[in-house]
């Protein structure tokens, strides 16, 4: 009887080990696929930028000022849902930004090509109109590998903010720079939480000011910067694990050239 039980236990252990190996292999394969897709995106982006760099030598100063990001334009031609590129210098955040308003969270688990991906893509909320919204909401996963928006966790510390106060955002209409004004974490969809995720277009100045005031009051620290009605906002959001169903949120305002 004892030998029988030991045999059953061994078989059970082998089955568990086999299942674990299967899932690990699947995870590694998915990560490799995600890296391959990103490398392809980077190649398209950089090749177009290099070509533009050669052409710029022959352009006038006026032509250079109106020129859009050639790398982003090349990606947009590859996939029209790609309408932006976000970079936070000194971090791994250097990714294309997708927009597919016809379906909620379309790129939550889709890569640049629209195929399944656990990491998904950075994407603009479907409630936003990128052309005229007051607040551009961009979502991304907090990956254990440190990719996507995992680096936003660093904004919990003031010294990290001091090293990374600016966010660069390229659009099909030009280059934009945003100054971080607040960073906070909050639970979401509780019925009592701060619904930052529903703020895209302010009803009026009071509505806008209330949003800014709440962001500043929740912030881990004072940045010394704020925003006034009429300032364009950029809000980055990812998962955060000190709260149940928590989110890490970084809010920035657009700087005028």
């Amino acid at each position: 009887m004892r030998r029988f039980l030991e045999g059953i236990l061994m078989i059970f252990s082998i089955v568990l080990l086999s299942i674990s190996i299967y899932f690990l292999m699947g995870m590694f394969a998915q990560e490799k696929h995600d890296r391959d897709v990103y490398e392809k995106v980077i190649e398209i982006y950089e090749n177009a930028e290099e070509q533009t760099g050669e052409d710029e030598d022959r352009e006038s100063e006026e032509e250079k000022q109106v020129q859009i990001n050639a790398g982003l334009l090349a990606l947009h031609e590859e996939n029209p849902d790609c309408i932006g590129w976000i970079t936070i210098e000194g971090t791994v955040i250097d990714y294309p930004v997708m927009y597919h308003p016809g379906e909620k969270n379309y790129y939550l688990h889709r890569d640049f090509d629209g195929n399944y991906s656990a990491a998904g893509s950075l994407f603009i909320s479907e409630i936003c109109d990128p052309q005229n919204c007051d607040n551009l909401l961009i979502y991304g996963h907090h990956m254990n590998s440190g990719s996507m928006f995992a680096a936003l966790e660093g904004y919990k510390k003031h010294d990290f903010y001091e090293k990374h106060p600016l966010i660069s955002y390229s659009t099909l209409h030009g280059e934009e720079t945003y100054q971080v004004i607040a960073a906070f974490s909050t639970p979401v969809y509780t019925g009592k939480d701060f619904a930052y995720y529903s703020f895209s277009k302010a009803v009026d100045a009071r509505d806008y000011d209330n949003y800014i005031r709440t962001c500043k009051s929740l912030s881990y620290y004072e940045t010394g910067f704020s925003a006034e009605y009429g300032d364009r906002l950029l809000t980055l959001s990812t998962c955060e694990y000190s709260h149940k169903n928590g989110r890490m949120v970084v809010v920035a305002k657009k700087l005028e050239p």
Side-chain angles (χ1 to χ4, degrees), residues 211-229:
Y211 178 79
I212 296 299
R213 189 178 302 110
T214 305
C215 289
K216 298 287 288 181
S217 68
L218 292 173
S219 186
Y220 285 105
Y221 42 79
E222 175 55 57
T223 63
F225 294 91
S226 189
E228 298 178 350
Y229 185 52

Side-chain angles (χ1 to χ4, degrees), residues 3 43 100 179:
R3 289 183 178 179
E43 184 177 2
H100 191 89
Q179 166 69 54

Side-chain angles (χ1 to χ4, degrees), residues 62-221:
E62 182 178 353
E63 288 173 325
K64 290 179 182 180
Q65 289 176 359
V66 299
Q67 187 178 62
I68 66 171
N69 186 308
L72 177 57
L73 182 58
L75 291 175
H76 180 69
E77 292 173 349
E78 189 83 9
N79 181 348
D81 285 350
C82 181
I83 65 167
W85 188 283
I86 189 169
T87 303
I88 301 181
E89 190 173 353
T91 77
V92 300
I93 297 176
D94 190 28
Y95 295 107
V97 177
M98 316 301 286
Y99 181 57
H100 191 89
E103 184 175 336
K104 185 177 181 179
N105 297 336
Y106 182 81
Y107 280 98
L108 186 65
H109 291 298
R110 284 184 171 90
D111 62 21
F112 179 86
D113 297 321
N115 299 316
Y116 173 79
S117 167
S121 303
L122 303 187
F123 64 95
I124 298 170
S125 170
E126 70 283 348
I127 72 169
C128 294
D129 180 345
Q131 297 304 312
N132 62 20
C133 64
D134 294 319
N135 181 34
L136 193 67
L137 283 154
I138 300 180
Y139 294 109
H141 282 298
H142 181 161
M143 300 303 293
N144 290 333
S145 64
S147 64
M148 307 313 288
F149 267 172
L152 295 185
E153 186 84 4
Y155 281 103
K156 288 183 174 181
K157 302 295 184 181
H158 189 263
D159 60 347
F160 183 91
Y161 156 74
E162 288 186 317
K163 294 175 183 176
H164 312 285
L166 302 178
I167 300 170
S168 298
Y169 184 60
S170 299
T171 78
L172 294 168
H173 305 284
E175 306 292 325
E176 300 174 356
T177 301
Y178 290 80
Q179 166 69 54
V180 173
I181 64 173
F184 59 90
S185 60
T186 181
V188 294
Y189 309 119
T190 65
K192 299 178 181 178
D193 57 86
F194 171 42
Y196 71 90
Y197 44 81
S198 65
F199 182 79
S200 174
K201 187 74 173 175
V203 176
D204 51 28
R206 184 175 183 179
D207 187 36
Y208 184 97
D209 292 343
N210 285 338
Y211 178 79
I212 296 299
R213 189 178 302 110
T214 305
C215 289
K216 298 287 288 181
S217 68
L218 292 173
S219 186
Y220 285 105
Y221 42 79

Side-chain angles (χ1 to χ4, degrees), residues 51-61 63-64:
Q51 181 62 46
T52 301
E54 296 172 0
D55 295 339
E56 279 183 349
D57 295 336
R58 300 185 294 272
E59 292 177 349
S60 67
E61 188 63 32
E63 288 173 325
K64 290 179 182 180

